[in-house]
Amino acid sequence: MGSPQQQQESYLKLTKPLQNAPLLRSKILLVGTRRSGKTSILQVLFKNLPSKQTFFLEPTMRVTKYPYDTIIPLEIWDCPGNITVDTLGAPLSEFSTIVFVIDIRDLYQQPIVKLVEFIVAACQANPHINLEVFVHKAEKLQEDDKIENFRQIHERVMDRLADESPDYEQVPLNFHLTSVYDYTLQEAFSRVIHKLIDSLPYLENLLDVFCSVSPSMICSVFPSKPTLKNTSSPKAFLFDTTSKLYVATDASPVDQAAHNLCCDYLHMLNSFGPLYKYAPSTLMPPTSLTPTRSNAPPTPSAPLSPAPAETPDPSKPSTKPPSYPSASTSLSPSQPVTLTYHLVTPHLALVASLPTPVFEMRRGLVEWNVVWFRQGVREIWQVEKERSEGELTA
């Protein structure tokens, strides 16, 4: 076994980050026919391109790799429309997920043939690969036509797979109806990355604890922490602040209206947050022993609107304590709901809905629960970071 000092040194060798070691990223392959909307999906999600400007994007001529860091590091490959399995330049076994994009208005024959080709090759290279189909540009059709075209695409793909081999009928293939003009794209891509997050059950458990009323569940997650009280939140999301993808949510079903409302709120904070800056209060020595009165209203030391978190430079020692911006807004009196925003990590934020009377009476309790929630998420985030950097070998 060796001495405790030797055991500590051996552990440090395991967990010490390797210099110049490449970051281990989960790779997502984005393929489809020409002008199906692959590049616009990436630009809207990860580059904050307005949806109306996607019409002016140039067609992709070569494979482009987009690295993106959320709770796990991702690498998304944007492929031109003429790419094939043979001309991809990398084996399909390197990818965790394949997302195939089909224009809902397009003729289905050519996209379906190409999709089946990738499915067959991917299943042979990696039977555990995640296969997703985005039936895209859904905003172009009326609701009835949209549903009918979606059903036809689904049926034709499954029939074509059955013609290839009866074994492919059991392939777990997921279809999503998406558009860059609403939040169906964010919801679909969120479900894609959920399958790549090994720590997802722990994040969901923390969100359940934040919303739950069960004392036994609280004690199981925080056995050594003070007893947490009920927040009474009907729904909570852990959002990636830039892309508006939710990396986890609680166990209650995701309501489309609630998801859209939280995305709108996050979009508003992203737009106006940079206008504000966190200004910690400073203590000034008194100039006089005589108290003075002022009729001017008190000035808050920090704005409610969140400011973008600054990533600390590891080479420079930080002297100021970390700040975690937060915000809240109440909806109309006819719908007494309050949305709350709390930054958890530099890229993740907790967005929760609360009944307004509950929030007004239990605001301190909500903040207390957020502190422990933030601590748990940051520990999980640190483990995922160490794993991607090769610090954890087991």
Side-chain angles (χ1 to χ4, degrees), residues 70-72 193-194 196-211 221 236-239 246-251 344-345 348 350 373-382 384:
T70 176
I71 192 155
I72 59 172
I193 66 172
H194 287 173
L196 306 179
I197 304 174
D198 294 333
S199 57
L200 180 64
Y202 306 103
L203 295 171
E204 292 176 340
N205 201 4
L206 285 174
L207 286 163
D208 288 337
V209 168
F210 181 79
C211 303
V221 177
F237 295 93
L238 184 62
F239 273 102
Y246 68 93
V247 300
T249 185
D250 62 282
V344 177
T345 74
L348 299 177
L350 172 67
F373 175 83
R374 180 184 293 119
Q375 178 179 334
V377 172
R378 290 185 68 88
E379 290 176 1
I380 295 173
W381 173 60
Q382 188 63 34
E384 292 285 1

Side-chain angles (χ1 to χ4, degrees), residues 73-253:
L74 303 174
E75 184 175 275
I76 306 169
W77 289 33
D78 182 18
C79 300
N82 59 352
I83 202 74
T84 64
V85 176
D86 299 328
T87 61
L88 180 61
L92 293 179
S93 58
E94 292 186 4
F95 298 93
S96 303
T97 301
I98 295 179
V99 178
F100 195 94
V101 184
I102 297 179
D103 188 343
I104 196 172
R105 308 166 305 165
D106 201 357
L107 298 176
Y108 306 146
Q109 185 63 27
Q110 181 184 358
I112 290 176
V113 170
K114 186 172 184 177
L115 169 60
V116 171
E117 174 190 347
F118 270 91
I119 292 175
V120 172
C123 291
Q124 294 174 355
N126 179 12
H128 302 291
I129 196 170
N130 301 314
L131 300 170
E132 312 286 338
V133 179
F134 283 8
V135 183
H136 198 47
K137 301 184 180 180
E139 78 283 350
K140 299 294 184 180
L141 299 177
Q142 298 294 330
E143 191 65 28
D144 293 341
D145 296 336
K146 186 190 308 182
I147 296 175
E148 178 61 24
N149 287 20
F150 183 80
R151 184 189 62 82
Q152 289 185 11
I153 292 175
H154 185 277
E155 289 182 354
R156 293 187 186 186
V157 170
M158 301 311 296
D159 291 343
R160 189 62 183 260
L161 285 173
D163 294 340
E164 289 289 332
S165 173
D167 297 335
Y168 294 123
E169 290 185 283
Q170 306 301 323
V171 172
L173 189 60
N174 303 293
F175 289 80
H176 309 271
L177 198 61
T178 60
S179 170
V180 296
Y181 290 94
D182 54 32
Y183 294 118
T184 55
L185 177 61
Q186 280 80 359
E187 183 174 2
F189 216 95
S190 297
R191 297 182 185 276
V192 170
I193 66 172
H194 287 173
K195 300 175 182 178
L196 306 179
I197 304 174
D198 294 333
S199 57
L200 180 64
Y202 306 103
L203 295 171
E204 292 176 340
N205 201 4
L206 285 174
L207 286 163
D208 288 337
V209 168
F210 181 79
C211 303
S212 176
V213 298
S214 172
S216 60
M217 181 182 294
I218 293 173
C219 294
S220 65
V221 177
F222 293 107
S224 61
K225 306 298 183 187
T227 303
L228 303 182
K229 305 297 183 180
N230 176 29
T231 307
S232 298
S233 173
K235 194 62 187 174
F237 295 93
L238 184 62
F239 273 102
D240 179 86
T241 55
T242 302
S243 62
K244 295 187 286 292
L245 302 178
Y246 68 93
V247 300
T249 185
D250 62 282
S252 62

Side-chain angles (χ1 to χ4, degrees), residues 238-241 266 269-270 306-310 322-327 340-351 370-371 373-375 377-378:
L238 184 62
F239 273 102
D240 179 86
T241 55
L266 190 58
L269 293 177
N270 288 343
E310 298 179 359
S323 62
Y324 299 104
S326 62
T340 62
Y341 167 101
H342 294 86
L343 194 68
V344 177
T345 74
H347 306 291
L348 299 177
L350 172 67
V351 179
V370 167
V371 170
F373 175 83
R374 180 184 293 119
Q375 178 179 334
V377 172
R378 290 185 68 88

